[in-house]
Amino acid sequence: MSGEGLEAAIDPTTAEWTAERASSVLRVPTASDDKYSRGVLGVRTGSTRYPGAAVLGVEAAWRTGLGMVRYLGPERAQNLILARRPETVTADGRVQAWLIGSGTDAADRPASEDAALRRILDSDLPVVVDAGALDLAGVGSAPRIVTPHGREHDRLRESIGLAPVGGDADDAARQRAALETARTLGATVLLKGARTIVATPGGWVARVTSGTPWLATAGTGDVLGGIIGAVVAAASVEPVSDTESLGALAATGAWLHGRAATAAADRHGEGGGPITALDITEELPGIVASVLAHRMR
């Protein structure tokens, strides 16, 4: 992309993701759909130390809307998920997309799990790569969305030979860095923050500002992973074969996440109030319905 094109891509007046744009991305079930054609998300998240991350991601995926969630993870997390969401399937089988890494630590990853994640990343199915799987962001050929926060993004950049951005970078610098990371990895990058940035290797950029400062609380990133995973799985009934097409799906997931968090905070009155990660998931069905209403206008 030329210098002029890059400046246009990071112009906040042209990059803002909206409810209208999100409505054009979400898939609406039809009378001919079944649970498989609505999208199946495979999930390998959570750990013995952090089982709650798996629960939050699975809960978020279900409430965003899809046909099935298959959870393949530690027994403790599996038991907690089934207690919360007994409709979750815990047997291996067909999926249209994967969510990996939330609530895990690469330093503690067993060899068997490492091999399983690498197989997923070397498939042709889209993968949402979060948290403890970000060290594998450059592995394999699967189309992927990586979802780092600022510190994770700096570590990821250093691992692929790029300079860290630093916590005091302005939005323009963050967008340039996200684009550079996306091009270097060949992956869609969703850089979390008060203003979330989505960038693809081809230079497409979106900015998401639907959230609230009350989002800065434990577990909300795990919820985001589940939302994006569900959006991607539902869209991938017709296979998503390239990373560029994942940009709009990632931006839509981030927009839903931010809007649901804002709705949860606003229940406390003007200015909002404290929320938890599960509060966000409880708002999701209504937010999805309101976004889809844009198609009727």
Side-chain angles (χ1 to χ4, degrees):
M1 179 182 289
S2 68
E4 182 179 351
L6 178 58
E7 291 304 317
I10 65 172
D11 182 345
T13 64
T14 62
E16 185 71 25
W17 205 248
T18 63
E20 183 176 3
R21 290 178 176 178
S23 72
S24 69
V25 171
L26 292 175
R27 184 176 183 273
V28 181
T30 68
S32 61
D33 272 320
D34 59 27
K35 61 189 176 185
Y36 297 105
S37 64
R38 284 197 61 200
V40 181
L41 177 65
V43 179
R44 293 193 79 107
T45 62
S47 59
T48 301
R49 291 176 64 193
Y50 306 113
V55 178
L56 292 169
V58 168
E59 176 79 5
W62 278 119
R63 287 186 174 271
T64 301
L66 76 174
M68 185 188 298
V69 178
R70 291 189 186 274
Y71 179 75
L72 304 174
E75 183 178 2
R76 184 182 178 203
Q78 184 179 118
N79 290 339
L80 290 170
I81 287 168
L82 290 175
R84 174 79 184 184
R85 283 291 168 195
E87 61 267 48
T88 304
V89 176
T90 56
D92 203 356
R94 64 188 274 197
V95 302
Q96 276 92 26
W98 284 97
L99 166 63
I100 63 173
S102 310
T104 67
D105 186 337
D108 299 331
R109 188 163 59 225
S112 59
E113 183 64 11
D114 187 79
L117 295 181
R118 288 174 182 272
R119 285 193 296 272
I120 288 170
L121 288 164
D122 206 29
S123 73
D124 58 357
L125 297 175
V127 186
V128 180
V129 184
D130 189 31
L134 286 169
D135 65 306
L136 301 176
V139 170
S141 56
R144 70 201 64 190
I145 300 167
V146 299
T147 61
H149 56 58
R151 291 184 298 278
E152 290 171 333
H153 188 221
D154 278 352
R155 290 196 294 270
L156 176 58
R157 285 175 62 83
E158 289 180 308
S159 75
I160 57 177
L162 300 176
V165 182
D168 58 350
D170 62 19
D171 285 343
R174 292 176 67 240
Q175 288 189 200
R176 289 189 178 91
L179 274 169
E180 186 179 32
T181 304
R183 288 172 176 147
T184 302
L185 280 177
T188 292
V189 173
L190 184 146
L191 178 55
K192 302 172 189 175
R195 292 177 177 84
T196 290
I197 295 163
V198 182
T200 70
W204 184 93
V205 178
R207 182 183 294 193
V208 183
T209 59
S210 58
T212 167
W214 294 106
L215 261 172
T217 189
T220 57
D222 306 319
V223 169
L224 175 61
I227 296 171
I228 297 172
V231 172
V232 173
S236 299
V237 172
E238 297 180 1
V240 174
S241 59
D242 67 280
T243 296
E244 287 300 308
S245 60
L246 293 176
L249 300 175
T252 295
W255 191 93
L256 292 172
H257 179 253
R259 187 66 193 89
T262 299
D266 285 351
R267 289 189 177 276
H268 300 291
E270 186 176 354
I275 60 174
T276 67
L278 280 176
D279 292 339
I280 299 170
T281 67
E282 290 172 4
E283 297 290 342
L284 280 168
I287 296 301
V288 171
S290 69
V291 169
L292 292 176
H294 278 264
R295 293 189 185 180
M296 307 300 293
R297 295 176 184 173

